[in-house]
Amino acid sequence: MAAQLEEKIGMKTESYTFKVEKGKIKELALAIGDLKEEYLNGECVLPTFPTVIEFWGGQGSFSNHLGLNVKKVLHGEQEYEYLGEIKPGDEITVSAVVEDAYTKAKMNFVILKKEFFNQHGERVLICRQTIIERH
């Protein structure tokens, strides 16, 4: 099992592009109850908006792509490193790679590193996500 898991290190997923629309900014603001005028007008992007990009822009479950048993998968952790500003109207392209994979306490851990680039090729965000698969 450990060797199969380690083989996933360096595995890349297909990149996808998501256009940052004012309507999606407003939907997120309403959903989390942050009713600042600049969010409701879609003039400014909320700090947690990258989650919307991941949720709506992806091509499906990374767990499936990685061959994990979805019935035993947990969302372990997620962090964002902000390198630039994501603006309304931006077209954000996301690519992901398995940065690490290991087994600990009868669970598999897969660390995904996702990089977000705007339409100018500027890297604006790095996301790291931990996927846990129970044995």
Side-chain angles (χ1 to χ4, degrees), residues 21-38:
E21 299 173 353
K22 291 182 176 187
K24 286 292 181 200
I25 296 169
K26 181 178 180 178
E27 285 177 7
L28 177 60
L30 291 170
I32 65 173
D34 194 339
L35 304 179
K36 293 180 184 152
E37 195 65 30
E38 62 265 24

Side-chain angles (χ1 to χ4, degrees), residues 26 43 48-49 52-53 59 61 63 66 76 96 101 109 131 134:
K26 181 178 180 178
E43 297 170 355
T48 55
F49 194 79
V52 173
I53 296 171
Q59 301 294 319
S61 167
S63 297
L66 296 170
F109 292 79
I131 299 171
R134 295 179 291 121

Side-chain angles (χ1 to χ4, degrees), residues 88-118:
D90 278 353
E91 291 189 16
I92 303 296
T93 299
V94 180
S95 59
V97 63
V98 175
E99 192 172 62
D100 198 7
Y102 56 91
T103 299
K104 181 178 176 183
K106 297 184 179 179
M107 294 183 281
N108 295 328
F109 292 79
V110 178
I111 314 300
L112 282 178
K113 176 184 176 185
K114 299 176 186 175
E115 295 181 296
F116 293 57
F117 293 89
N118 66 16

Side-chain angles (χ1 to χ4, degrees), residues 7-131:
E7 290 176 1
K8 296 182 187 312
I9 297 172
M11 184 177 179
K12 295 180 180 177
T13 61
E14 190 172 324
S15 64
Y16 59 88
T17 300
F18 181 89
K19 183 166 183 163
V20 179
E21 299 173 353
K22 291 182 176 187
K24 286 292 181 200
I25 296 169
K26 181 178 180 178
E27 285 177 7
L28 177 60
L30 291 170
I32 65 173
D34 194 339
L35 304 179
K36 293 180 184 152
E37 195 65 30
E38 62 265 24
Y39 298 149
L40 295 175
N41 291 335
E43 297 170 355
C44 183
V45 176
L46 292 87
T48 55
F49 194 79
T51 303
V52 173
I53 296 171
E54 290 185 278
F55 188 79
W56 289 105
Q59 301 294 319
S61 167
F62 281 105
S63 297
N64 284 335
H65 182 71
L66 296 170
L68 303 177
N69 183 346
V70 177
K71 293 179 181 176
K72 296 184 173 187
V73 166
L74 303 168
H75 178 81
E77 179 180 31
Q78 190 152 359
E79 66 182 44
Y80 294 116
E81 180 180 350
Y82 298 90
L83 306 171
E85 185 178 359
I86 297 175
K87 301 173 189 164
D90 278 353
E91 291 189 16
I92 303 296
T93 299
V94 180
S95 59
V97 63
V98 175
E99 192 172 62
D100 198 7
Y102 56 91
T103 299
K104 181 178 176 183
K106 297 184 179 179
M107 294 183 281
N108 295 328
F109 292 79
V110 178
I111 314 300
L112 282 178
K113 176 184 176 185
K114 299 176 186 175
E115 295 181 296
F116 293 57
F117 293 89
N118 66 16
Q119 67 277 12
H120 305 295
E122 300 164 339
R123 189 170 58 170
V124 292
L125 184 86
I126 296 173
C127 167
R128 283 193 174 76
Q129 178 182 7
T130 302
I131 299 171

